[in-house]
Amino acid sequence: MSKTVRLPNPRLITGIVGRDIVKDPYYSLNKLYNATLEELKNLPASYPYRIETERLTKERMSLLENAKSVLEFEKSLNARCIENVIQEAKSELLLVRKLPDWAPWEPLVEEAPEEQWKWPIS
């Protein structure tokens, strides 16, 4: 039994060298966004990155759900092509999976140098 493609991709090419067309972008993005939301649960609830990434991901999921076409979804994001949006979602998911190992929300091991954020550099 074949699955129904909810938002078929109308393009034959992306116009970007090395970037292939995704035939069912709705399925790909829905899967990526849900995985990202699930992985974000491994980060502290008060961590600003988690809060903002959850907000953005849920917003994009809503746009995806309400879009009547791939072109409408792209336009709502001001995106050139849906394949770029899918690549961004993949990269975000990879980052979210690495963050628990890095624990950037924990205090610094030692104080940062006093002049670290001074601009311009002398």
Side-chain angles (χ1 to χ4, degrees):
M1 179 185 291
S2 65
K3 79 179 170 111
T4 304
V5 176
R6 180 160 170 331
L7 291 177
N9 198 337
R11 293 192 181 89
L12 299 176
I13 61 168
T14 62
I16 301 170
V17 175
R19 177 106 353 130
D20 294 330
I21 288 291
V22 175
K23 297 206 183 301
D24 192 352
Y26 175 86
Y27 174 79
S28 297
L29 278 172
N30 196 38
K31 189 172 179 179
L32 287 164
Y33 288 155
N34 280 311
T36 298
L37 290 173
E38 195 59 36
E39 291 289 335
L40 283 168
K41 292 177 183 176
N42 296 322
L43 307 180
S46 62
Y47 184 45
Y49 174 82
R50 174 183 171 170
I51 294 167
E52 185 58 23
T53 304
E54 281 178 342
R55 184 200 63 76
L56 180 66
T57 302
K58 288 175 181 176
E59 179 183 305
R60 287 186 171 203
M61 284 181 80
S62 176
L63 291 171
L64 182 64
E65 288 292 330
N66 295 318
K68 293 178 179 31
S69 72
V70 167
L71 298 177
E72 181 183 317
F73 180 66
E74 289 173 340
K75 187 175 180 181
S76 69
L77 293 177
N78 196 23
R80 181 173 162 202
C81 74
I82 194 118
E83 287 75 14
N84 287 347
V85 177
I86 291 168
Q87 185 57 50
E88 287 173 12
K90 286 177 181 177
S91 297
E92 195 74 55
L93 179 57
L94 289 173
L95 175 61
V96 169
R97 286 179 172 158
K98 291 177 181 179
L99 283 173
D101 293 334
W102 299 336
W105 52 83
E106 292 181 359
L108 295 175
V109 174
E110 59 185 51
E111 271 310 302
E114 190 175 315
E115 303 283 318
Q116 180 169 343
W117 303 113
K118 185 178 176 189
W119 186 261
I121 298 172
S122 315

